[in-house]
């Protein structure tokens, strides 16, 4: 009878672990679907553009002749290959899927997917890059107004610290 229970327990364990693996695969698939809807596959695009611009600027600064434009393009392609290997979608996708699958339940991922597939979710994704850029500009403008005051406070603190450091040690009688 004990042997029968052990076999039943083992069979039950195998069945349950298969269910857990299926749930993990389903959750990972939902995480990937959400990431694609959220355009996570395009997160590195600005990095690629910035590096391309950096090479173009260096080419211009070096007075690169039009006849050497192929050289610029060759190095830009090499830089793209390096970036693709480091931060390309296929490189970061497994880590992002794991991150989102562990941060959100399967039900939450399904809700996020439903939202991002809705008209409002699509509108949010369309407007998000411009909203993020405008938000950064607004914050930068407000920050600029605080910089002089922060610098003044820093100078005051430094001034108060100087006399303490410059005072000679009191002589003991």
């Amino acid at each position: 009878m004990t042997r029968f229970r052990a076999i039943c327990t083992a069979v039950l364990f195998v069945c349950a672990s298969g269910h857990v693996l299926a749930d993990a695969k389903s959750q990972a698939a939902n995480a990937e679907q959400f990431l694609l809807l959220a355009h996570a596959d395009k997160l590195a695009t600005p990095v690629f553009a910035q590096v391309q611009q950096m090479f173009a600027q260096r080419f211009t600064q070096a007075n690169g002749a039009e006849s050497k434009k192929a050289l610029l393009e060759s190095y830009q392609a090499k830089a793209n290959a390096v970036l693709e290997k480091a931060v390309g979608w296929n490189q970061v996708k497994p880590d992002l899927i794991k991150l989102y699958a562990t941060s959100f339940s399967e039900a939450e991922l399904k809700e996020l997917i439903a939202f991002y597939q809705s008209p409002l979710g699509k509108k949010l994704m369309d407007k998000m890059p411009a909203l993020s850029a405008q938000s950064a500009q607004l914050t930068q403008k407000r920050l600029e107004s605080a910089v002089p005051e922060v610098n003044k406070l820093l100078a005051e603190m430094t001034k108060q610290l100087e006399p303490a450091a410059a005072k000679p040690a009191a002589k003991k009688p």
Side-chain angles (χ1 to χ4, degrees):
M1 188 68 164
T2 308
R3 188 172 178 198
F4 179 72
R5 282 186 181 163
I7 291 172
C8 287
T9 302
V11 168
L12 187 61
F13 178 72
V14 168
C15 290
S17 65
H19 181 68
V20 169
L21 289 175
D23 285 349
K25 282 185 179 182
S26 175
Q27 189 162 357
N30 283 321
E32 183 174 2
Q33 184 179 0
F34 164 71
L35 288 166
L36 290 172
L37 287 169
H39 304 300
D41 57 326
K42 295 179 180 44
L43 283 174
T45 300
V47 174
F48 280 76
Q50 188 175 13
V51 169
Q52 294 299 303
Q53 183 180 3
M54 184 176 72
F55 274 85
Q57 285 174 344
R58 180 65 53 91
F59 182 79
T60 302
Q61 290 169 351
N63 296 320
E66 189 64 32
S67 63
K68 295 209 175 195
K69 189 91 168 176
L71 181 68
L72 167 65
E73 292 169 357
S74 167
Y75 275 93
Q76 286 176 320
K78 289 175 184 178
N80 277 348
V82 169
L83 293 173
E84 187 64 40
K85 192 174 177 181
V87 294
W89 174 239
N90 289 328
Q91 299 302 316
V92 299
K93 179 172 65 170
D95 293 334
L96 289 176
I97 288 172
K98 184 177 178 181
L99 177 66
Y100 279 78
T102 58
S103 298
F104 297 99
S105 70
E106 188 165 7
E108 290 169 332
L109 287 166
K110 286 179 180 180
E111 286 182 45
L112 286 168
I113 290 166
F115 172 73
Y116 279 87
Q117 288 177 332
S118 74
L120 181 58
K122 289 177 183 177
K123 181 177 181 178
L124 174 67
M125 289 311 301
D126 289 341
K127 298 213 178 264
M128 189 57 72
L131 290 171
S132 293
Q134 290 171 351
S135 296
Q137 287 174 346
L138 289 169
T139 303
Q140 182 66 31
K141 284 181 184 176
R142 290 184 175 267
L143 183 59
E144 286 171 5
S145 69
V147 168
E149 193 171 339
V150 169
N151 284 338
K152 182 181 172 188
L153 292 169
L154 184 61
E156 287 175 12
M157 182 187 78
T158 303
K159 187 177 179 181
Q160 287 185 6
L161 290 172
E162 285 174 359
K167 281 184 184 176
K171 293 183 181 178
K172 293 184 180 180

